[in-house]
């Protein structure tokens, strides 16, 4: 690289929404490559409300790779960041920015360091899949910066090395993470089942029961589950394969009754598997249980499901209403049963295509 180019900075910004699994990923068969024990299916949320924005920049003036999350510097020494960086760097190609007069060759990328600044517009590590949006966004932005010519599925396999669920955030709409058979992980990647326009009358309401960081991270939790739970083996081998096929059918046919039944049952089985772990893991709390009861009673009284619920590794409820009218009714019921504690909570309450209800607890 010529000396006169030492002062330049090249940057790319990307925005990636989070995704919520309706058939859960829980358990790895390979911890380093992040290969799951079963397929999973998710819905990618509207980027307006739950997303990560990441800016990656490169300059000859940077003396090391560095990263900031929500304005605070974090260590990049973890194997997961290093895997994603290494994989994208190895695919980097020549970049020529004519306007700025910058030319970076494939060889230059090996020596150049990057700076990464990432922001979540929702609580980090509170069971709202922040790592999913985070790693998907990081991999996407780095690939753009380094001109790595991979398609979304191949990028999803790289994002998977950052956090399993991240591979599903490379696509909008309904997404399946295929567990794959290859022990090197080349076929463990995400595919889009249907795009964001498909079944767009569904409305997702998130009740933030707690924005505290969870006690047991997904990574630690699922490691303990794999080591100790017999129920997980039954789930991965016998239950999920059949459920995946049924869920794909329900999504294709916009069959809300089947969709809701499958999503709720799968969420409950995931939390049962957590209880079957030694020591047991409790992600849901009393408020989560009360929200489940509210939905179950309503669905039973209506004679057909109106709302589906699903809970990730935390107490926050992700509620999927069959349409906007039902979502409005759901929000009324939630407000009645879990009155907001302050005006600030009410102000942060949004009713739109994808809504967020703060502090239901
Ligand atoms: C309950 O993807 O966060 O949200 O691969 O160890 O980073 P790691 O775990 P992560 O686990 C997500 C678990 C889940 C279910 C899901 O998203 O499928």
């Amino acid at each position: 690289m010529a000396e006169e180019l030492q002062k330049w900075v090249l940057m790319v910004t990307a925005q990636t929404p989070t995704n919520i699994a309706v058939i859960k990923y829980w358990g790895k068969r390979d911890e380093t490559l992040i290969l799951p024990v079963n397929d999973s299916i998710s819905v990618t949320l509207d980027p307006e409300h739950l997303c990560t924005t990441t800016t990656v920049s490169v300059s000859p003036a940077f003396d090391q790779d560095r990263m900031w999350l929500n304005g605070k510097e974090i260590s990049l020494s973890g194997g997961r960041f290093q895997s994603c960086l290494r994989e994208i760097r190895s695919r980097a190609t020549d970049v020529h920015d004519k306007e700025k007069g910058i030319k970076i060759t494939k060889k230059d990328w090996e020596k150049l360091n990057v700076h990464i600044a990432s922001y979540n517009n929702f609580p980090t590590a509170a069971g709202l899949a922040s790592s999913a949006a985070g790693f998907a966004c990081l991999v996407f932005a780095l690939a753009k910066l380094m001109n790595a010519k991979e398609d979304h599925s191949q990028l999803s396999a790289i994002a998977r090395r950052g956090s399993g669920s991240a591979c599903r955030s490379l696509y909008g709409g309904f997404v399946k993470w295929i567990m794959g058979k290859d022990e090197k992980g080349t076929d463990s990647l995400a595919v889009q089942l249907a795009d964001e326009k498909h079944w767009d009358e569904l409305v997702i309401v998130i009740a933030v029961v707690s924005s505290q960081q969870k006690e047991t991270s997904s990574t630690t939790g699922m490691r303990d589950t794999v080591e100790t739970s017999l129920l997980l083996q039954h789930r991965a081998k016998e239950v999920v394969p059949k459920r995946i096929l049924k869920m794909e059918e329900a999504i294709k046919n916009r069959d809300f009754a089947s969709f809701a039944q499958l999503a709720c049952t799968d969420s409950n089985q995931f939390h049962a598997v957590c209880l079957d772990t030694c020591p047991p893991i409790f992600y849901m709390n009393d408020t989560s249980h009360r929200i489940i009861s509210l939905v179950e009673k309503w669905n039973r009284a209506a004679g057909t499901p109106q709302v589906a619920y699903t809970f990730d590794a935390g107490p926050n409820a992700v509620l999927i209403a069959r349409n906007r009218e039902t979502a409005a009714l759901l929000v009324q019921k939630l407000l009645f049963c879990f009155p907001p504690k302050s005006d600030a909570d009410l102000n942060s309450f949004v009713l739109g295509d994808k809504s967020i209800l703060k502090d239901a607890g």
Side-chain angles (χ1 to χ4, degrees), residues 153-170:
S153 249
Q154 283 158 321
L155 288 182
S156 80
I158 300 174
R160 187 200 80 224
R161 301 286 302 273
S163 181
S165 52
C167 72
R168 298 184 310 235
S169 269
L170 262 301

Side-chain angles (χ1 to χ4, degrees), residues 31-58:
E31 286 247 353
T32 316
L33 295 173
I34 311 201
L35 299 177
V37 294
N38 57 256
D39 292 349
S40 52
I41 293 181
S42 60
V43 190
T44 299
L45 301 187
D46 181 340
E48 206 181 306
H49 295 306
L50 285 143
C51 79
T52 298
T53 305
T54 300
T55 299
V56 287
S57 49
V58 62

